[in-house]
Amino acid sequence: MSMSIEPRDRLRIAIQKSGRLADPARALLASCGLSWRESRDRLFCYGEALPIDLLLVRDDDIPGLIADGVCDLGVVGRNVLCEQDTERVRRGEASAFRELRPLGFGGCRLALAVPDGWEWRGAGQLAGRRIATSYPALLQQWLQEQGIAAEVVTLTGSVEIAPRLGQADLVCDLVSSGATLAANQLKPVATLLESEAVLAGPVAEFEGERAALAEMLLRRLDGAVRTRNSRLLMFQAQRSAIPALLPLLPDAEEPTLLQVDGADRLALQALCHGRLTWQRLEDLKRAGAQGLMVLPVESMLA
Ligand code: ATP
Ligand code: ZN
């Protein structure tokens, strides 16, 4: 039996109501052409430009909403998605959601962090220790892979102060800059998972109207994620300078060369994914580029 017995032609996307992923998720969806009316309770936003609605929830609820078919898609940290999937699999249940696309924001890693005073000599040191975490399934799995028997202390918040409170010897927590750990006299020593925000969806394929909508949204998302850090670089050069110029553009995608003013003069345009710093532009100029121009990319459709 499939969820399609529900008479729903619209697509429903769950995003975080407030928190680190809330604004970037909204901005990304808006850049894909979605628009919505803010409702008074702000839990459900009716899609106006497209039949795609938003549900604003806690990030931890997103995988479950997809598993239950209440939502079709969700924007959530890979850390949350992997934790809940690992937990399901440990309980003997089948996977009910999966990562469809990495989205390029909300980057962090799940890491083991030990008190500053520890000299880290490897996982063997953890035997018999107490580790505080909000990610017990991922930690258990990692410990199992390492063949280490340690005690997992599950906490829902303020994991980083657990060692000072005597609740644990070390922690397994999300790290981005490392400032929070440092403020609690902890240092990261091993990475369990590299994370970022992802688009999550069900394991099963969509059917009917929603399949076509999801396909369109994914295509637009791919374009939006690709354009976000891309710039269009344009310049002119003598044909003889091209061999010296191309090595300066290792991040250029499919450069287009056009002939101008006879056979010897070319115009080049290329989509670049790396940073086009003044330094790089000056290097290009020295190698023979003229009339250099860097343009932002508004949208892209492959
Ligand atoms: P909610 O109220 O929705 O449960 P939360 O407190 O669980 O919110 P946030 O702190 O807003 O969640 O973090 C959301 C996600 O942001 C994390 O799951 C993670 O993927 C990502 N993230 C990026 N950097 C960090 C960081 N330094 N610490 C915690 N999460 C981070
Ligand atoms: Zn949460």
mmCIF file of all heavy atoms in Angstrom, residues 56-76:
data_model
loop_
_atom_site.group_PDB
_atom_site.id
_atom_site.type_symbol
_atom_site.label_atom_id
_atom_site.label_comp_id
_atom_site.label_asym_id
_atom_site.label_seq_id
_atom_site.Cartn_x
_atom_site.Cartn_y
_atom_site.Cartn_z
ATOM 1 N N LEU A 56 6.824 24.282 9.088
ATOM 2 C CA LEU A 56 7.923 24.760 9.922
ATOM 3 C C LEU A 56 7.936 23.980 11.241
ATOM 4 O O LEU A 56 6.992 24.065 12.020
ATOM 5 C CB LEU A 56 7.749 26.258 10.198
ATOM 6 C CG LEU A 56 7.506 27.153 8.979
ATOM 7 C CD1 LEU A 56 7.501 28.628 9.382
ATOM 8 C CD2 LEU A 56 8.561 26.919 7.903
ATOM 9 N N VAL A 57 9.006 23.240 11.453
ATOM 10 C CA VAL A 57 9.053 22.310 12.586
ATOM 11 C C VAL A 57 10.426 22.314 13.265
ATOM 12 O O VAL A 57 11.347 23.000 12.813
ATOM 13 C CB VAL A 57 8.755 20.867 12.094
ATOM 14 C CG1 VAL A 57 7.348 20.776 11.536
ATOM 15 C CG2 VAL A 57 9.771 20.436 11.040
ATOM 16 N N ARG A 58 10.578 21.500 14.304
ATOM 17 C CA ARG A 58 11.906 21.294 14.900
ATOM 18 C C ARG A 58 12.686 20.361 13.988
ATOM 19 O O ARG A 58 12.119 19.418 13.432
ATOM 20 C CB ARG A 58 11.758 20.648 16.284
ATOM 21 C CG ARG A 58 11.151 21.572 17.314
ATOM 22 C CD ARG A 58 11.527 21.111 18.693
ATOM 23 N NE ARG A 58 12.980 20.900 18.773
ATOM 24 C CZ ARG A 58 13.591 20.279 19.769
ATOM 25 N NH1 ARG A 58 12.900 19.787 20.758
ATOM 26 N NH2 ARG A 58 14.899 20.146 19.773
ATOM 27 N N ASP A 59 13.965 20.592 13.871
ATOM 28 C CA ASP A 59 14.745 19.783 12.918
ATOM 29 C C ASP A 59 14.685 18.283 13.229
ATOM 30 O O ASP A 59 14.635 17.466 12.324
ATOM 31 C CB ASP A 59 16.203 20.282 12.847
ATOM 32 C CG ASP A 59 16.963 20.136 14.152
ATOM 33 O OD1 ASP A 59 16.340 19.874 15.196
ATOM 34 O OD2 ASP A 59 18.202 20.294 14.116
ATOM 35 N N ASP A 60 14.610 17.959 14.517
ATOM 36 C CA ASP A 60 14.596 16.539 14.909
ATOM 37 C C ASP A 60 13.346 15.807 14.430
ATOM 38 O O ASP A 60 13.326 14.584 14.343
ATOM 39 C CB ASP A 60 14.666 16.426 16.438
ATOM 40 C CG ASP A 60 15.661 17.393 17.024
ATOM 41 O OD1 ASP A 60 15.347 18.611 17.069
ATOM 42 O OD2 ASP A 60 16.758 16.952 17.394
ATOM 43 N N ASP A 61 12.280 16.567 14.136
ATOM 44 C CA ASP A 61 11.021 15.936 13.706
ATOM 45 C C ASP A 61 10.989 15.651 12.206
ATOM 46 O O ASP A 61 10.110 14.929 11.733
ATOM 47 C CB ASP A 61 9.834 16.849 14.058
ATOM 48 C CG ASP A 61 9.660 16.994 15.572
ATOM 49 O OD1 ASP A 61 10.123 16.089 16.300
ATOM 50 O OD2 ASP A 61 9.085 18.008 16.009
ATOM 51 N N ILE A 62 11.944 16.241 11.464
ATOM 52 C CA ILE A 62 11.867 16.169 9.997
ATOM 53 C C ILE A 62 11.975 14.733 9.430
ATOM 54 O O ILE A 62 11.134 14.333 8.632
ATOM 55 C CB ILE A 62 12.882 17.146 9.354
ATOM 56 C CG1 ILE A 62 12.423 18.591 9.668
ATOM 57 C CG2 ILE A 62 13.005 16.920 7.850
ATOM 58 C CD1 ILE A 62 13.374 19.688 9.212
ATOM 59 N N PRO A 63 12.960 13.933 9.879
ATOM 60 C CA PRO A 63 13.019 12.571 9.317
ATOM 61 C C PRO A 63 11.736 11.775 9.574
ATOM 62 O O PRO A 63 11.250 11.082 8.679
ATOM 63 C CB PRO A 63 14.219 11.943 10.041
ATOM 64 C CG PRO A 63 15.067 13.111 10.441
ATOM 65 C CD PRO A 63 14.099 14.210 10.779
ATOM 66 N N GLY A 64 11.170 11.904 10.758
ATOM 67 C CA GLY A 64 9.937 11.181 11.098
ATOM 68 C C GLY A 64 8.756 11.627 10.248
ATOM 69 O O GLY A 64 7.932 10.805 9.836
ATOM 70 N N LEU A 65 8.681 12.922 9.975
ATOM 71 C CA LEU A 65 7.585 13.435 9.141
ATOM 72 C C LEU A 65 7.672 12.869 7.727
ATOM 73 O O LEU A 65 6.654 12.584 7.099
ATOM 74 C CB LEU A 65 7.626 14.970 9.094
ATOM 75 C CG LEU A 65 7.229 15.678 10.403
ATOM 76 C CD1 LEU A 65 7.603 17.156 10.347
ATOM 77 C CD2 LEU A 65 5.728 15.518 10.663
ATOM 78 N N ILE A 66 8.903 12.697 7.241
ATOM 79 C CA ILE A 66 9.083 12.102 5.908
ATOM 80 C C ILE A 66 8.740 10.609 5.961
ATOM 81 O O ILE A 66 8.035 10.092 5.101
ATOM 82 C CB ILE A 66 10.530 12.318 5.401
ATOM 83 C CG1 ILE A 66 10.788 13.813 5.187
ATOM 84 C CG2 ILE A 66 10.770 11.533 4.114
ATOM 85 C CD1 ILE A 66 12.243 14.162 4.911
ATOM 86 N N ALA A 67 9.219 9.942 7.021
ATOM 87 C CA ALA A 67 8.948 8.501 7.158
ATOM 88 C C ALA A 67 7.444 8.229 7.207
ATOM 89 O O ALA A 67 6.966 7.249 6.645
ATOM 90 C CB ALA A 67 9.622 7.963 8.427
ATOM 91 N N ASP A 68 6.699 9.117 7.865
ATOM 92 C CA ASP A 68 5.256 8.925 7.997
ATOM 93 C C ASP A 68 4.473 9.420 6.788
ATOM 94 O O ASP A 68 3.253 9.325 6.764
ATOM 95 C CB ASP A 68 4.745 9.653 9.250
ATOM 96 C CG ASP A 68 5.317 9.044 10.520
ATOM 97 O OD1 ASP A 68 5.812 7.892 10.448
ATOM 98 O OD2 ASP A 68 5.295 9.716 11.573
ATOM 99 N N GLY A 69 5.165 10.035 5.836
ATOM 100 C CA GLY A 69 4.471 10.536 4.647
ATOM 101 C C GLY A 69 3.726 11.834 4.882
ATOM 102 O O GLY A 69 2.965 12.279 4.027
ATOM 103 N N VAL A 70 3.928 12.452 6.047
ATOM 104 C CA VAL A 70 3.259 13.732 6.329
ATOM 105 C C VAL A 70 3.894 14.828 5.464
ATOM 106 O O VAL A 70 3.221 15.727 4.990
ATOM 107 C CB VAL A 70 3.386 14.099 7.829
ATOM 108 C CG1 VAL A 70 2.797 15.471 8.107
ATOM 109 C CG2 VAL A 70 2.714 13.030 8.675
ATOM 110 N N CYS A 71 5.219 14.714 5.265
ATOM 111 C CA CYS A 71 5.929 15.625 4.378
ATOM 112 C C CYS A 71 6.627 14.815 3.302
ATOM 113 O O CYS A 71 6.965 13.647 3.515
ATOM 114 C CB CYS A 71 6.967 16.427 5.150
ATOM 115 S SG CYS A 71 6.216 17.686 6.168
ATOM 116 N N ASP A 72 6.836 15.447 2.149
ATOM 117 C CA ASP A 72 7.488 14.750 1.048
ATOM 118 C C ASP A 72 8.999 14.927 1.086
ATOM 119 O O ASP A 72 9.749 14.029 0.725
ATOM 120 C CB ASP A 72 6.962 15.292 -0.281
ATOM 121 C CG ASP A 72 5.458 15.151 -0.355
ATOM 122 O OD1 ASP A 72 4.990 14.002 -0.313
ATOM 123 O OD2 ASP A 72 4.759 16.181 -0.422
ATOM 124 N N LEU A 73 9.418 16.126 1.489
ATOM 125 C CA LEU A 73 10.842 16.457 1.484
ATOM 126 C C LEU A 73 11.162 17.230 2.751
ATOM 127 O O LEU A 73 10.253 17.734 3.423
ATOM 128 C CB LEU A 73 11.174 17.329 0.265
ATOM 129 C CG LEU A 73 10.956 16.709 -1.122
ATOM 130 C CD1 LEU A 73 10.999 17.788 -2.195
ATOM 131 C CD2 LEU A 73 12.001 15.635 -1.404
ATOM 132 N N GLY A 74 12.451 17.367 3.067
ATOM 133 C CA GLY A 74 12.830 18.153 4.235
ATOM 134 C C GLY A 74 14.240 18.690 4.077
ATOM 135 O O GLY A 74 15.046 18.107 3.353
ATOM 136 N N VAL A 75 14.508 19.811 4.731
ATOM 137 C CA VAL A 75 15.873 20.353 4.774
ATOM 138 C C VAL A 75 16.365 20.168 6.201
ATOM 139 O O VAL A 75 15.793 20.730 7.147
ATOM 140 C CB VAL A 75 15.904 21.844 4.381
ATOM 141 C CG1 VAL A 75 17.313 22.411 4.544
ATOM 142 C CG2 VAL A 75 15.419 22.028 2.948
ATOM 143 N N VAL A 76 17.391 19.340 6.361
ATOM 144 C CA VAL A 76 17.827 18.949 7.702
ATOM 145 C C VAL A 76 19.317 18.624 7.673
ATOM 146 O O VAL A 76 19.862 18.314 6.615
ATOM 147 C CB VAL A 76 16.965 17.727 8.157
ATOM 148 C CG1 VAL A 76 17.194 16.509 7.276
ATOM 149 C CG2 VAL A 76 17.207 17.385 9.607
#
